[in-house]
Every structure is written in structure tokens, then in C-alpha cells.
Amino acid sequence: QSILTQPPSVSGAPGQRVTISCIGSSSDIGAGYDVHWYQQLPGTAPKLLIYNNNYRPSGVPDRFSASKSGTSASLAITGLQAEDEGDYYCQSYDSSVNGVFGGGTRLTVL
Amino acid sequence: EVQLREFGGAAVLVGESLRLSCAASGFDFGGLTMHWVRQAPEKGLEWVSLISWDGGSRNYVESVKGRFTISRDNSNKVLYLQMNSLRTEDTAIYYCAKDLSSRSGLDHWGQGTRVSV
């Protein structure tokens, strides 16, 4: 089963913009399955941040945006804030309709 | 308000069995696919299993096939994960989560229940 590839860590200063990539394959993202993004703050359960490639659930600030192209996707966070520090995961499905997560990216706000 | 509450986590020995439960409320449980996702200590999220609204489709990550069984009781709004032949690598926090809609992301998660093998 496939695993989506994310950078282990990213960092940025308050107010800056950071991006997190999510690289899949023709068996998952490239097969047409949507990509979803989750935020996990320390000691808490994951929270849905972006669904269906670029839609924000109610309550998620518009500082968070995402896109998908081909076999990859990316999450962008603008106006970085201290409370954004945590782990971010992309998720999709493979051709067997099994869920698949990225390895996670630790965001550090400098 | 949507609520998902997991129960049943415990410390067990290699080879033993455990059944996790997830009590749901505040949404149309019987109409949505449900998932189990786990997180080993200091590791990332790993999708474990899903079950369609009617139980007709059940998928598993390769590492648990033949050992874990997902099921649901729509009348009582409970999701289950029967875990047999547990291994040390099954040690993790197990979360239940609900689909927003078909394959549209997992929009609500429980607080997790800890399994230690």
C-alpha cells in the first residue's frame, strides 16, 4: 500500500508563508482521488483542515489553502501564527479505496 | 453536536485480543462510512480500516488483514474494531473518525483510546 511523501519539517517566522508538499503516485492522488489535510496540535486528535483538495470546513481560517495537481498536492499557510505550530498530514485513497496518509510534517513557528 | 468516544484500549500481551468500541452521537451514523486510524508513539497517522454505511464494504491496511475486523451497529450507533493476534507494532492510540461524505475527508475524530501490546 502506498504512502504519501511529505517533508519531515518546515519552519517560518510569524507572519510568513509556508508550504507543505504531498507527493503521491498514479495509484492514489494521480488516480483522481481527492486530497485532504489535517492539523494535529500537540496532545490533541487530528482536525480536518482542508477537504476535497481545496475546501475549508467551517471555522478554518482562510490563511489555510491547498491545491492539487497531477500526483501531488500542497498546503499553504499564510500569516503564520504561533498557534499554527504542530503536525500536518495529507490524506487520500489508493486504487483499492484504502485510506493513505502522508508521513506528516512538523511545522515550527520561529 | 457530533461526538465520537472510543472505549476498550488496554495493555495486553502479544497474541492476545482486544475489542475497541466507538460510540457516536449527533449525526446520521447509519448513513456514513466510518474509519479507524492509529498513531504509534511519536509516529504519524496510519489509516487502519473503513466500513461503509451498511457494512457492505470493509477495507483494511495490509498489516492488519486477517487479524482485525471492523463492524458496526447502526441501531445503537457504535463502531467496533476486533483486534486478534496482537503484535508489538499494533501499539498505538486508536481513533475512530467519520467521513464528511464519501471519501471527502474525516471531519470528526474521537479523543482516541490507547492500546499497548
Side-chain angles (χ1 to χ4, degrees), chain B residues 16-77:
Chain B
E16 292 189 336
S17 298
L18 206 56
R19 188 175 82 157
L20 306 183
S21 302
C22 171
S25 63
F27 66 100
D28 179 22
F29 178 81
L32 289 170
T33 293
M34 296 294 295
H35 301 250
W36 288 100
V37 177
R38 68 184 178 184
Q39 187 168 33
E42 304 303 315
K43 299 294 185 183
L45 301 176
E46 180 181 38
W47 177 85
V48 174
S49 183
L50 70 79
I51 184 168
S52 60
W53 65 275
D54 61 351
S57 293
R58 309 182 194 206
N59 293 0
Y60 302 91
V61 67
E62 195 64 36
S63 60
V64 309
K65 281 182 181 177
R67 300 188 299 122
F68 289 14
T69 302
I70 192 171
S71 62
R72 65 191 298 160
D73 177 351
N74 286 346
S75 298
N76 291 303
K77 300 186 179 182

Side-chain angles (χ1 to χ4, degrees), chain B residues 81-97:
Chain B
L81 186 67
Q82 177 66 44
M83 305 187 294
N84 298 333
S85 302
L86 282 162
R87 306 169 179 169
T88 56
E89 55 264 38
D90 296 319
T91 294
I93 295 173
Y94 285 73
Y95 296 99
C96 68

Side-chain angles (χ1 to χ4, degrees), chain A residues 38 45-48 101, chain B residues 3-4 6 37 45 95-98 106-112:
Chain A
Y38 302 87
K47 168 190 170 183
L48 181 64
F101 279 97
Chain B
Q3 288 198 354
L4 295 168
E6 302 93 338
V37 177
L45 301 176
Y95 296 99
C96 68
K98 66 174 276 293
L106 308 181
D107 69 331
H108 283 85
W109 297 61
Q111 83 289 348

Side-chain angles (χ1 to χ4, degrees), chain A residues 5 9 12 17 22 27-28 32 34 44 46-47 52-53 62 65-67 73 77 79 88 95 97 99-100 102 109:
Chain A
T5 300
S9 63
R17 177 181 186 269
C22 174
S27 299
D28 38 66
D34 289 333
T44 68
K47 168 190 170 183
N52 292 6
N53 306 317
D62 60 6
S65 62
S67 62
I77 309 172
Y88 291 80
S95 54
V97 198
V100 57
V109 180

